[in-house]
Amino acid sequence: MYEMNRRQAMAAVGAFLALAACSTDGGSGDSGEAKKSDDFAANRDGAMSDYAAGKQFTAAAPLTFGILYNNHPFYPLKKDWLFWSELTKRTNVTLEPNVVPLSDYENKRSLLIGAGDAPMIIPKTYPGQETPFVASGAILPVSDYIDLMPNFKEKIARWNLEPDLDTIRQADGQFYLLPGLHEDYWVDYSLAIRADILDELGLEIPQTLDDLHNVLKAMKEKYPDSYPFSDRWSNPTPGGALLNQILGLAYGAHGGWGYLNGVTWDHTAQKFAYTGAMEQYKQMLQFLHTLVEEKLMDPESFTQQDDQAIQKLVSGKSFVISTNAQTLVNEYRPPLKKANPKAKLIKIPVPIGPLGPVKADATTTRLENGIMISKKARDSKNFVAMMQFIDWLWYSDEGQVFAKWGIEGTTFTKDASGKYQLAEDVDFVGLNPDASKHLQKDFGFSNGVFAYGGTTELLQSTFSEEEIEFQKVMNAREALPPAPPRPLTDEEREQASLWETPLKDHATQNTLNFILGKRSFDEWDAYVQELEAKNMSAYINLMNNAHERYKKEHG
């Protein structure tokens, strides 16, 4: 989501291809041995000898691969989904899911990997979440094996994604996650707001955070018994989406889901800073505290379950809530329409804050959640076939269309212009609201485990006209470059992990205290000193020194 310098990007791609060649000819890998194609002589069972970008992968013999499966409650796994049978028909591969509830996915993933019991394919892993498993050697340095993945390599080169990939490299220069790849940036999360209430009060859609504040005040004045804004996505991470994709983007200091290890690249200072101590973070908390203090925002927003927040919206006790495109259509509008047929809920462009009209900042890349590969996969006789299969399903154009749309003539058709259209009896994101079947629930397609990344055209192929208009507004905004690499050595990572958790716990606790008024902002400096006592400066110095070292070693 940023217009990178094209010469830098092309140079970076060249460096990437050179690195890829080096890694295949003599990369470090898990054994330190060369990774020439000859090395896979014992690992080619079932592999295609002529596999290439744009070519259908079909295993030379029936294969079965284990996969960790994140089970979404909106479309819980069914063994008879057409996705499974058609995938086997096309690729000669059967997947055996190790099913884990969405709510426990991260914890169970860590336990399985730590115990050595994880299946070979470990998807639904966001960039940064792989880092704890690097030092133990439990997962593969997948950058050693991308020569087995021609579709992945082709998209990296064509979309100039090397600067984005650099953000997930470790100190050894390798990356250990196969991320989903987007052609362009994609902003999905924002605020949903009752447009009929705006109309009733003669108000425009808020463009800035100041506008939002004024809208909430007008709503409160008209409906004094309400909390105009009651939010969700706070379990287990308080302010999950609000402090990350929405206000985090407006201020340039991400909390909630985006807090991660608490390190933010400060574009102005050109160095890393501790997120929870940044002035931008303080300003974000002050804004929320003002909303809570003026009773414009429900103080339970940071502790309540999602169902409670949705019920408040549906019952008319609130008018604003965090959303994304699917949530708006699947979870909010149906019950709201049933409770109040005249209600009109819309997703507004992310309100502009102090950072200005941006669609991406230092924390944003075009990388999506992706796949870790268990170390034991490298010794499998089917390793090459598995990498080819992953490359086809997650990174080829055909595999991405299949995972997202399903089967032409069954779940979708194409019009004369090549535009995708759902079959008349199939619904998805409200495109065919009266259809008897659902693309995710009944067929298993557009499943978040398999369907992500790809071209902007494919991404937007399931968007409603309303969502496309939202994207046009957001895409017209500026994109700042992603943060530069700061990979840590094993020793540094071990030290950082000792400091990171106490710092994050203290910042999270006080984030809530400041927002809810349990702690005065007069004590902000004291709070920063408390972080300092927990080794904040040493922690950030570690990051900045790693960044300087990487610059010297890699240019």
Side-chain angles (χ1 to χ4, degrees), residues 237-394:
T237 307
L242 178 64
L243 289 171
N244 181 22
Q245 285 99 327
I246 303 169
L247 294 184
L249 186 60
Y251 285 92
H254 294 248
W257 294 335
Y259 197 85
L260 301 177
N261 52 22
V263 179
T264 293
W265 177 250
D266 187 327
H267 281 291
T268 303
Q270 287 291 291
K271 63 181 182 180
F272 289 100
Y274 190 70
T275 311
M278 294 176 72
E279 178 64 23
Q280 296 94 315
Y281 194 79
K282 176 185 177 183
Q283 291 174 7
M284 177 170 68
L285 303 192
Q286 286 175 320
F287 175 76
L288 286 172
H289 170 65
T290 298
L291 299 188
V292 170
E293 187 176 44
E294 296 178 357
K295 300 190 185 316
L296 306 178
M297 186 171 192
D298 185 355
E300 294 181 353
S301 293
F302 304 94
T303 53
Q304 67 188 350
Q305 298 294 325
D306 289 357
D307 288 348
Q308 293 174 285
I310 295 170
Q311 183 54 39
K312 289 174 182 178
L313 178 75
V314 169
S315 64
K317 293 181 179 178
S318 69
F319 312 116
V320 181
I321 191 171
S322 292
T323 191
N324 60 33
Q326 287 199 41
T327 297
L328 179 73
V329 173
N330 292 335
E331 297 184 40
Y332 298 162
R333 281 180 174 165
L336 183 59
K337 182 179 180 181
K338 186 176 180 180
N340 183 354
K342 294 182 179 180
K344 182 182 179 184
L345 192 70
I346 61 171
K347 184 172 98 167
I348 67 171
V350 178
I352 296 168
L355 202 59
V358 296
K359 61 181 176 181
D361 62 10
T363 67
T364 319
T365 70
R366 289 175 289 162
L367 308 183
E368 175 65 276
N369 72 83
I371 302 162
M372 294 185 290
I373 306 294
S374 171
K375 181 183 179 181
K376 62 187 177 186
R378 179 61 183 87
D379 297 324
S380 166
K381 64 182 181 179
N382 306 125
F383 177 67
V384 173
M386 187 189 76
M387 298 303 286
Q388 292 177 345
F389 167 76
I390 290 171
D391 182 64
W392 180 83
L393 178 56
W394 276 278

Side-chain angles (χ1 to χ4, degrees), residues 450-518:
F450 304 106
Y452 48 81
T455 65
T456 300
E457 181 183 7
L458 179 64
L459 171 69
Q460 296 190 356
S461 64
T462 54
F463 288 178
S464 64
E465 289 300 319
E466 173 189 15
E467 179 63 18
I468 288 174
E469 287 304 311
F470 170 88
Q471 295 297 328
K472 285 180 181 177
V473 173
M474 294 306 302
N475 285 332
R477 298 182 182 182
E478 181 186 7
L480 301 175
R486 48 169 176 77
L488 303 179
T489 64
D490 289 348
E491 293 81 5
E492 289 170 336
R493 191 180 300 111
E494 184 177 350
Q495 178 60 71
S497 67
L498 295 176
W499 291 334
E500 177 186 328
T501 301
L503 283 167
K504 184 175 183 178
D505 288 348
H506 193 67
T508 300
Q509 177 186 358
N510 281 278
T511 291
L512 287 179
N513 288 341
F514 282 121
I515 291 172
L516 299 176
K518 296 180 179 178

Side-chain angles (χ1 to χ4, degrees), residues 9-21:
M10 291 308 295
V13 172
F16 171 72
L17 295 176
L19 176 61

